[in-house]
């Protein structure tokens, strides 16, 4: 609903909802002859910097892809290292995020995560639940297809139980079952690390996003590169199916 209210803005400046695929940690480390986990560790500082910049710029929603459902296929020691790092970073950063009035939430299939990490996640969500400056969603063990399948299953259950008429299922009703329920569509997606793909991130909410692919590896990402992405976004005309002439006329 929020997305359609903003549809009339032909040229947007700062994205209302920014999503980031933080990629390139492994290559950053390998290029320095370091173990991949060093790249993951150096990937924490840019997260801090991006959260701070977004809060300052007036971005309202920030969604970060930290670990995909497919990342479970990585070597066990890398997965273990990443999970320890998530827990360490979360426990260390939560007070600062709270201080900055940032609301933190996690999305993804958390059942597979370590109980200690899950506890810290829930505690962080509770602690920051009343914050209003920036909504930060972190996708851990998240996959866009799994999210869609879960939504379909929930709707099917309601239909089978007789509490939902299948004819009532429209895009809005469907979106309400997704992890991004009540969060507007992504305006700008940034992917670092030079690959140009979605890698099963937010398949629904990315339907009309502007896409910015950066060659910078995530540990090197900084406010300069963020500003370049936002400038790119500001230069796009968002038409949502209409013609350029229609958009220009609506501005007069
Ligand atoms: C992104 O960096 C972090 C995660 C996927 C967890 P990568 O670890 O994918 O780094 P590259 O792509 O191998 O360089
Ligand atoms: C995408 O990066 C997931 C995250 C950044 C968390 P990957 O490095 O896992 O993506 P693919 O597998 O190369 O597409
Ligand atoms: Mg990668």
């Amino acid at each position: 609903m929020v997305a359609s209210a903003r549809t009339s803005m032909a040229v947007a400046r700062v994205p209302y909802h920014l999503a980031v695929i933080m990629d390139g940690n492994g290559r950053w480390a390998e290029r320095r002859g370091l173990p991949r986990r060093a790249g993951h560790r150096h990937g924490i500082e840019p997260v801090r910097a991006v959260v701070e910049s977004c809060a300052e710029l007036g971005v309202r929603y920030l969604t970060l892809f930290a670990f995909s459902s497919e990342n479970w296929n990585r070597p066990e020691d890398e997965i273990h290292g990443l999970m320890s790092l998530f827990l360490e970073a979360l426990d260390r950063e939560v007070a600062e995020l709270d201080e900055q009035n940032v609301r933190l939430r996690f999305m993804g299939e958390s059942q597979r995560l370590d109980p200690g990490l899950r506890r810290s996640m829930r505690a962080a969500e509770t602690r920051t639940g009343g914050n209003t400056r920036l909504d930060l969603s972190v996708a851990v063990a998240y996959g866009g297809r799994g999210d869609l399948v879960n939504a379909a299953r929930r709707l099917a259950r309601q239909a089978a139980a007789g509490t939902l008429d299948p004819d009532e299922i429209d895009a809005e009703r469907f979106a309400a079952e997704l992890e991004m329920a009540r969060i507007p569509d992504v305006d700008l997606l940034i992917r670092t690390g030079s690959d140009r793909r979605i890698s099963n991130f937010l398949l629904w909410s990315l339907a009309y996003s502007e896409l910015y692919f950066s060659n910078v590896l995530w540990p090197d990402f900084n406010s300069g590169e963020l500003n370049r992405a936002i400038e790119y976004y500001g230069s796009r005309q968002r038409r949502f199916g209409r013609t350029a002439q229609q958009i220009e006329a609506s501005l007069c």
Side-chain angles (χ1 to χ4, degrees), residues 8 74 80 88-89 97 118 168 172 189 206 212 216 225:
S8 58
R74 292 200 175 189
H80 183 74
E88 181 192 316
L97 290 170
R118 270 157 60 185
E168 277 172 22
E172 200 177 331
L189 172 75
L206 290 174
Y212 184 87
V216 171
E225 188 60 5

Side-chain angles (χ1 to χ4, degrees), residues 106-196:
F106 292 92
M107 42 187 244
E109 306 224 340
S110 62
Q111 321 77 267
R112 263 182 93 173
L113 301 175
D114 180 75
L117 177 57
R118 270 157 60 185
R119 263 196 305 277
S120 278
M121 285 170 156
R122 299 290 89 90
E125 287 177 336
T126 305
R127 177 170 179 171
T128 63
N131 293 345
T132 53
R133 191 173 183 205
L134 173 71
D135 267 56
L136 171 60
S137 301
V138 182
V140 181
Y142 176 84
R145 284 185 173 175
D147 194 2
L148 293 171
V149 168
N150 289 339
R153 192 182 298 118
R154 274 195 286 272
L155 291 167
R157 276 207 196 104
Q158 292 167 37
T163 56
L164 174 68
D165 175 356
D167 289 333
E168 277 172 22
I169 302 173
D170 56 10
E172 200 177 331
R173 184 68 191 81
F174 192 91
E177 298 294 334
L178 293 166
E179 296 256 25
M180 281 274 141
R182 291 178 299 280
I183 296 187
D185 285 351
V186 173
D187 296 301
L188 173 65
L189 172 75
I190 299 175
R191 180 178 185 137
T192 62
S194 73
D195 283 317
R196 295 177 173 225

Side-chain angles (χ1 to χ4, degrees), residues 75-86:
E76 219 168 288
D77 65 331
E78 179 164 349
I79 294 173
H80 183 74
L82 275 163
M83 295 300 156
S84 311
L85 203 58
F86 291 154

